[in-house]
């Protein structure tokens, strides 16, 4: 019940202003256009590097959503007031996690068609596997990102610390995502990329549990 209330609050704050969502889509579209003009003379190379380009866009866009998840409450000192409420800190982490996850999904609904359209790439022939992969990786980015965003929230240069800490932390996740996406786009059998998917699932479970268990300490002044 409380999780639903907190999650609704997270989404309503953004839906009313649409500040970050517009920024995420605009920035992502600009990067996709840059890729389109850079790789147009060599479509074969583009197909080879498309999975890496896709997840680079997603990772850069996610930083905007992750920073926003705590920065607004920091500006108005609303986060401290939230901590005084009879709300379990683990539930607060889940609301931040899933709130960021939904923001990533909404931005990808807009950016993915642009990515495949501008780069003139066919949509993967296994759409179910591709969409499932997107959801799992988004959960992984959101889990570790929400944890780090809360940890650096009170730092003076948190906008610089967040990507500095996030990018090394999600490197195993990004490598697994690129490998799995390449396999899906090439319609390889599941047995050939099962290991990468298992690494993604393990990443989501580990950082989801870590965030759930230690967010109480992250929230302390």
């Amino acid at each position: 019940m409380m999780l639903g209330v907190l999650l609704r609050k997270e989404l309503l704050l953004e839906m009313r202003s649409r500040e970050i969502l517009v920024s995420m889509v605009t920035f992502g579209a600009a990067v996709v256009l840059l890729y389109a003009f850079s790789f147009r003379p060599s479509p074969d190379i583009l197909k080879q590097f498309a999975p890496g380009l896709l997840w680079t866009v997603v990772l850069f866009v996610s930083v905007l959503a992750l920073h926003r998840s705590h920065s607004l409450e920091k500006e108005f000192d609303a986060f401290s007031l939230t901590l005084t409420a009879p709300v379990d800190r683990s539930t607060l982490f889940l609301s931040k996690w899933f709130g960021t996850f939904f923001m990533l999904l909404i931005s990808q609904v807009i950016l993915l068609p642009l990515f495949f359209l501008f780069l003139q790439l066919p949509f993967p022939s296994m759409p179910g596997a591709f969409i499932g992969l997107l959801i799992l990786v988004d959960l992984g980015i959101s889990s570790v990102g929400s944890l780090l965003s809360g940890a650096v929230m009170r730092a003076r240069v948190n906008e610089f610390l967040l990507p500095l800490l996030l990018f090394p932390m999600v490197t195993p996740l990004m490598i697994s995502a690129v490998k799995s996406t390449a396999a899906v786009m090439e319609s390889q059998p599941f047995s050939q990329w099962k290991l990468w998917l298992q690494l993604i699932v393990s990443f989501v479970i580990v950082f989801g549990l870590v965030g759930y268990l230690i967010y109480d300490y992250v929230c302390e002044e």
Side-chain angles (χ1 to χ4, degrees), residues 16 120 125 144 157 196:
R16 287 175 178 174
Q120 299 181 358
S125 57
V144 65
V157 289
W196 298 112

Side-chain angles (χ1 to χ4, degrees), residues 38-201:
S38 300
F39 290 93
R40 186 173 295 276
S42 181
D44 293 334
I45 295 180
L46 178 59
K47 292 179 181 179
Q48 182 179 359
F49 288 99
L53 299 177
L54 172 63
W55 287 112
T56 301
V57 174
V58 173
L59 183 59
F60 286 164
V61 165
S62 67
V63 174
L64 297 175
L66 291 167
H67 177 66
R68 176 69 172 184
S69 66
H70 287 86
S71 63
L72 183 62
E73 293 176 329
K74 175 189 174 183
E75 293 174 5
F76 298 98
D77 201 28
F79 192 73
S80 298
L81 295 176
T82 303
L83 295 179
T84 62
V87 180
D88 188 70
R89 307 291 174 82
S90 301
T91 304
L92 188 58
F93 167 75
L94 293 177
S95 69
K96 296 293 184 182
W97 179 10
F98 292 121
T100 305
F101 166 70
F102 284 124
M103 290 300 300
L104 281 177
L105 281 185
I106 294 171
S107 65
Q108 287 173 356
V109 168
I110 303 173
L111 290 175
L112 282 178
L114 297 178
F115 181 85
F116 287 101
L117 176 64
F118 291 154
L119 298 185
Q120 299 181 358
L121 292 169
F123 197 79
S125 57
M126 297 188 294
F130 180 70
I131 294 173
L133 189 60
L134 285 175
I135 292 174
L136 283 174
V137 178
D138 286 349
L139 284 171
I141 296 174
S142 302
S143 63
V144 65
S146 298
L147 182 61
L148 292 175
S149 179
V152 305
M153 175 181 56
R154 296 183 177 88
R156 293 183 179 179
V157 289
N158 54 36
E159 62 273 13
F160 300 108
L161 279 177
L162 179 58
L164 191 64
L165 296 174
L166 177 66
F167 292 166
M169 290 286 285
V170 298
T171 297
L173 178 66
M174 289 294 99
I175 293 175
S176 302
V178 170
K179 293 291 187 180
S180 299
T181 305
V184 170
M185 295 180 71
E186 295 172 4
S187 300
Q188 296 180 9
F190 178 68
S191 59
Q192 295 188 12
W193 54 281
K194 178 176 64 175
L195 175 62
W196 298 112
L197 182 62
Q198 291 172 343
L199 289 174
I200 294 173
V201 173

